[in-house]
């Protein structure tokens, strides 16, 4: 799922990339790497509410992730 999501992202299919990456995240793939790709995808697609929906739960459990905190604040 993760590799498929990255492939879709590389080809510009942002909707399908988000679906694959969100599924990979739910399936337990490396949370940090998957979230980063998912946030790139949702921000590129201008789906900022979705980006926040993915970022905020991670940030709640990783409050020292300053880069993510800055992204959330910017959105």
């Amino acid at each position: 799922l993760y590799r498929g999501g990255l492939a879709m992202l590389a080809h510009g299919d942002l909707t399908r990339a988000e679906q694959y990456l969100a599924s990979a995240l739910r399936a337990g793939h490396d949370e940090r790497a998957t979230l980063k790709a998912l946030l790139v995808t949702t921000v590129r697609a201008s789906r900022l509410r979705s980006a926040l929906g993915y970022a905020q739960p991670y940030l709640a459990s990783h409050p020292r992730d300053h880069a993510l905190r800055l992204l959330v604040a910017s959105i």
Side-chain angles (χ1 to χ4, degrees):
L1 291 171
Y2 177 73
R3 282 184 270 155
L6 292 181
M8 295 298 151
L9 177 60
H11 291 293
D13 188 348
L14 301 178
T15 301
R16 189 161 299 162
E18 181 181 355
Q19 292 169 344
Y20 274 64
L21 292 168
S23 294
L25 190 62
R26 283 191 301 272
H29 190 269
D30 177 30
E31 188 177 29
R32 185 171 174 84
T34 306
L35 182 68
K36 182 178 178 182
L38 194 50
L39 293 175
V40 167
T41 301
T42 52
V43 169
R44 281 189 188 171
S46 297
R47 294 183 34 80
L48 302 180
R49 286 182 191 231
S50 291
L52 288 176
Y54 296 121
Q56 288 175 329
Y58 181 85
L59 197 53
S61 61
H62 300 87
R64 293 188 183 259
D65 189 334
H66 299 293
L68 183 57
R69 187 171 298 283
L70 179 62
L71 176 65
V72 168
S74 296
I75 291 174

